[in-house]
Amino acid sequence: MKSLKGQDILALGFMTFALFVGAGNIIFPPIVGLQAGPHVWAAAIGFLITAVGLPVLTVVALARVGGAMNALSSPIGRVAGGLLAAVCYFSVGPLFATPRTATVSFEVGLAPLTGGGALPLFLYSLVYFCVVLLVSLYPGRLLDTVGRFLAPLKILALAILGAAAFLWPAGGTGESVKAYQAQAFSQGFINGYLTMDTLGALVFGIVIVNAIKARGIESATLITRYAVIAGLIAGVGLALVYISLFQLGSTSHSLVPAATNGAEVLHAYVQHTFGEPGSIFLACLISLACLVTAVGLTCACAEYFSEALHLPYKVLVVALALFSLLVSNLGLTHLIQISVPVLTAIYPPCIVLVVLSFCSRLWHSPSRVVAPVMLVAFLFGVIDGIKAAGFDASWITWLEAKLPLVDQGLAWLIPSVVVGVLATLWDRQQGQPHAVRAS
């Protein structure tokens, strides 16, 4: 029986790590570290739960069912599962995440060197998505192109930045902003959403499994084992990157006390620590990090929709790259404004789906529990999403007064737990579902 060599397993882990570390993973932790001040490590714990723990759990959950999201969502039915998969793939694909990799890498890495504006962004994104297109056309070679070449470069650059954050801190820790003074953990938890890593894991699962199969591995047990190992390697790498970026942000208060995003913090730190070459280094790091993630997202979306719609894979790669190019030119600010409410709404049911997938053997019929809990999580996630969008309505104010954890953006948590307990009791009372007899 064919198996992977140690170096192949390591390359698979590096590839998985590199797929995850994109735009949000690099720009969100520094601003959390800066704004959390002395509460930085409480915020870090919450952030690591949603940005590391949940993605690793998701990779493991998908590996157990062969990598396909449709198999994971089977308890909620084919139609609902298909809708959920489509929303996730579009969100982390051509609508939000993939275009964001181009806009972030431009505005953080290139704009300070070349100047901003519509034309420079268009020219950069054009070249950027041409590279994404060329690499994505050959998904069977991802383990070689990403795992053995691009990922090590990305890891080396992140290691240099992470080591510098601890060896040469820019200064002391400043005061925390009001939100982190009272709710540091929950603020970190919610900010972990914005990395899109759990949604990314739902999408990348099939890419990881296919990369293993491309090496001739056919045993389902081995595929699951290697995918789990890859997820754990990626999780350790992500945790180390985030911890170093929290440290970087928390000690940069003297440089940019009024920074409003992680890009400002990163720029200030590399300029302070490395001088002018720091800008070039940051530009290369951000571009490389975002490029690898964009390739993974494009491959995953093309593979999913190729199977779902029975369209040629390469045609879909071209269409996705072109659509992402067009959306990326809307600009980073508009993309973030649109994506935050949507992500806030769809994250809760996805979290529920992943967590409950490990408990399926506890129930006679998983559908009796998973479906209602996901529905409740989604409904309350929509409430949090409406609030995140800035809409002011009297019924939202009433809910804030009545429901726990609404202020923290976690209105879905307690109702989901309560419905989960009630659904479990109902499942026990109903017993085994009756088989439908053939006429």
Side-chain angles (χ1 to χ4, degrees):
M1 184 169 54
K2 192 169 184 179
S3 60
L4 292 181
K5 298 178 181 178
Q7 61 183 12
D8 289 329
I9 296 175
L10 191 60
L12 182 69
F14 284 172
M15 183 196 81
T16 306
F17 168 76
L19 291 176
F20 278 119
V21 181
N25 309 79
I26 296 176
I27 65 173
F28 288 121
I31 193 64
V32 172
L34 179 77
Q35 294 181 344
H39 306 290
V40 59
W41 300 116
I45 292 172
F47 190 96
L48 291 174
I49 290 173
T50 49
V52 177
L54 285 174
V56 171
L57 276 179
T58 303
V59 171
V60 174
L62 282 168
R64 294 170 69 230
V65 295
M69 187 176 172
N70 289 341
L72 188 68
S73 62
S74 59
I76 64 174
R78 185 174 180 180
V79 174
L83 286 174
L84 178 66
V87 169
C88 288
Y89 275 95
F90 274 119
S91 297
V92 299
L95 287 182
F96 299 137
T98 307
R100 190 179 75 175
T101 64
T103 54
V104 167
S105 59
F106 172 75
E107 295 194 19
V108 176
L110 269 293
L113 302 176
T114 63
L119 181 59
L121 173 59
F122 174 74
L123 294 175
Y124 172 80
S125 59
L126 180 62
V127 174
Y128 180 92
F129 282 109
C130 282
V131 176
V132 170
L133 172 64
L134 290 174
V135 179
S136 301
L137 285 173
Y138 306 99
R141 301 177 187 174
L142 279 185
L143 196 55
D144 293 319
T145 56
V146 175
R148 297 182 185 277
F149 178 63
L150 294 177
L153 291 176
K154 189 172 180 177
I155 291 169
L156 176 62
L158 289 168
I160 293 171
L161 184 63
F166 283 97
L167 294 175
W168 304 298
T173 302
E175 292 293 322
S176 60
V177 300
K178 184 177 180 180
Y180 284 95
Q181 291 174 5
Q183 303 164 350
F185 174 84
S186 61
Q187 286 295 316
F189 191 93
I190 293 299
N191 272 279
Y193 283 0
L194 302 182
T195 65
M196 297 191 190
D197 281 346
T198 298
L199 297 184
L202 287 169
V203 170
F204 289 143
I206 193 65
V207 176
I208 297 166
V209 169
N210 285 346
I212 298 171
K213 290 180 178 178
R215 281 293 189 270
I217 307 300
E218 298 178 356
S219 167
T221 301
L222 284 180
I223 291 173
T224 301
R225 182 186 305 168
Y226 293 143
V228 170
I229 293 172
L232 292 175
I233 292 173
V236 171
L238 284 170
L240 293 175
V241 168
Y242 292 147
I243 290 170
S244 64
L245 291 176
F246 284 128
Q247 168 72 6
L248 183 153
S250 68
T251 57
S252 296
H253 188 268
S254 61
L255 302 179
V256 279
T260 57
N261 61 69
E264 295 178 48
V265 181
L266 283 170
H267 270 299
Y269 179 81
V270 297
Q271 283 281 355
H272 170 80
T273 306
F274 299 108
E276 203 57 40
S279 296
I280 300 174
F281 168 76
L282 184 62
C284 293
L285 169 60
I286 296 293
S287 296
L288 183 60
C290 292
L291 182 68
V292 174
T293 301
V295 168
L297 291 172
T298 302
C299 289
C301 290
E303 288 174 355
Y304 173 77
F305 288 111
S306 176
E307 182 177 344
L309 303 177
H310 305 291
L311 294 174
Y313 170 84
K314 292 187 177 181
V315 171
L316 286 168
V317 168
V318 174
L320 290 167
L322 180 60
F323 188 82
S324 298
L325 167 65
L326 296 175
V327 175
S328 68
N329 281 269
L330 294 175
L332 181 60
T333 301
H334 291 298
L335 283 176
I336 291 179
Q337 286 176 344
I338 298 170
S339 65
V340 168
V342 175
L343 292 174
T344 303
I346 66 176
Y347 239 89
C350 291
I351 293 173
V352 166
L353 176 63
V354 171
V355 173
L356 293 186
S357 70
F358 291 92
C359 309
S360 58
R361 295 183 180 179
L362 299 177
W363 307 305
H364 296 295
S365 173
S367 298
R368 294 173 182 163
V369 179
V370 177
V373 177
M374 284 186 65
L375 177 60
V376 169
F378 173 69
L379 293 176
F380 282 92
V382 168
I383 294 172
D384 285 332
I386 292 172
K387 185 183 175 189
F391 291 107
D392 188 15
S394 58
W395 63 274
I396 294 180
T397 304
W398 179 84
L399 282 174
E400 287 181 350
K402 300 294 182 180
L403 291 174
L405 303 181
V406 173
D407 289 338
Q408 291 91 338
L410 298 172
W412 60 274
L413 186 57
I414 292 179
S416 298
V417 172
V418 171
V419 171
V421 172
L422 294 176
T424 298
L425 293 175
W426 180 60
D427 174 73
R428 292 290 176 87
Q429 191 272 330
Q430 291 294 310
Q432 291 288 348
H434 298 291
V436 178
R437 294 182 180 179
S439 57

